[in-house]
Amino acid sequence: VEEIGRIARERDILFLVDAAQTIGVLDIDVRKLHIDLLAFPGHKGLYGPQGTGGLYVREGVKLQPLKQGGTGSFSEELDQPDILPDMLEAGTLNTPGIAGLAAGVNFLKKMGLHQVRAHERMLAQRFLEGLEKIDGVTVYGCPKKHGEIAVISINLKNLDSSELAFLLDSRYDIQVRPGIHCSPMAHRTIGTIERGTARFSFSIFNTVDEIEEALSALEEISREMG
């Protein structure tokens, strides 16, 4: 990311980074990484409710708002305010959602980012080690980076990812996200556009026992498939 950001900055190209899976998990220094815009959700690594998120805008970057009106500030003006963040916040803000997001961020600050990441990496590594012993499991992503983020996508033998997710949910009360995860181009690249993948995501609230239960469930399904 830093190298791409440096090249973009040298060529006066705006650099937007999607931090959907890394905000609240990795240290992100927008200055060091030469990031102009950083988009992030509130309901993943920041432990906020769905429907929340944010956009970091580097000082000096000018954006054109997609929507206008109802900012609640400079109400006497007919045009959208030209100051941040007002110019990008049309309409009534999701105040309850923002309060929930603030609670999530405060929880994360209290726990400590490094403690949360260490726990998640431990769970991810344990899960990956267990997957190696299960017949028919395919793990996607860069092998050298497996476990860096506690989000692991797999397929099992010839099962569609939705079928695997249904079995895990209905028989073992384990919830994973199947499909193409809002990333059709990524799935075309790895050859899973038709079946998708089943995505396991671990957090500070998950336990080693739950990892073992998930591995046991996958092992049982694999054996039944022959």
Side-chain angles (χ1 to χ4, degrees), residues 20-21 43-44 50 127 138 140 149-155 161-162 164-165 168 174-183 187 195-202 218:
Q21 301 294 350
H43 69 280
K44 295 186 178 182
Q50 288 186 324
F127 187 63
T138 301
Y140 297 92
I149 302 295
V151 179
I152 299 169
S153 286
I154 73 166
N155 272 317
S161 62
S162 295
L164 177 57
L168 290 170
I174 296 172
Q175 285 77 49
V176 299
R177 185 180 177 188
I180 58 176
H181 315 107
C182 307
S183 301
H187 281 272
R195 66 190 299 205
T197 63
R199 189 175 72 187
F200 290 75
S201 303
F202 310 123
L218 290 169

Side-chain angles (χ1 to χ4, degrees), residues 135-202:
D135 181 49
V137 170
T138 301
V139 180
Y140 297 92
C142 176
K144 292 183 179 180
K145 295 296 183 180
H146 283 170
E148 286 294 312
I149 302 295
V151 179
I152 299 169
S153 286
I154 73 166
N155 272 317
L156 180 61
K157 295 189 174 179
N158 63 347
L159 275 177
D160 185 89
S161 62
S162 295
E163 293 178 295
L164 177 57
F166 175 77
L167 290 173
L168 290 170
D169 181 27
S170 60
R171 290 169 50 174
Y172 306 97
D173 198 27
I174 296 172
Q175 285 77 49
V176 299
R177 185 180 177 188
I180 58 176
H181 315 107
C182 307
S183 301
M185 294 181 68
H187 281 272
R188 290 187 190 280
T189 300
I190 63 176
T192 56
I193 190 64
E194 297 297 331
R195 66 190 299 205
T197 63
R199 189 175 72 187
F200 290 75
S201 303
F202 310 123

Side-chain angles (χ1 to χ4, degrees), residues 107-144:
F107 165 79
L108 185 61
K109 290 170 65 178
K110 183 177 180 180
M111 288 292 298
L113 183 65
H114 295 290
Q115 180 178 340
V116 172
R117 186 184 181 196
H119 179 76
E120 292 182 354
R121 288 185 67 180
M122 179 272 293
L123 295 178
Q125 291 295 340
R126 189 149 183 164
F127 187 63
L128 287 166
E129 291 170 3
L131 290 178
E132 293 178 355
K133 304 173 185 177
I134 300 175
D135 181 49
V137 170
T138 301
V139 180
Y140 297 92
C142 176
K144 292 183 179 180

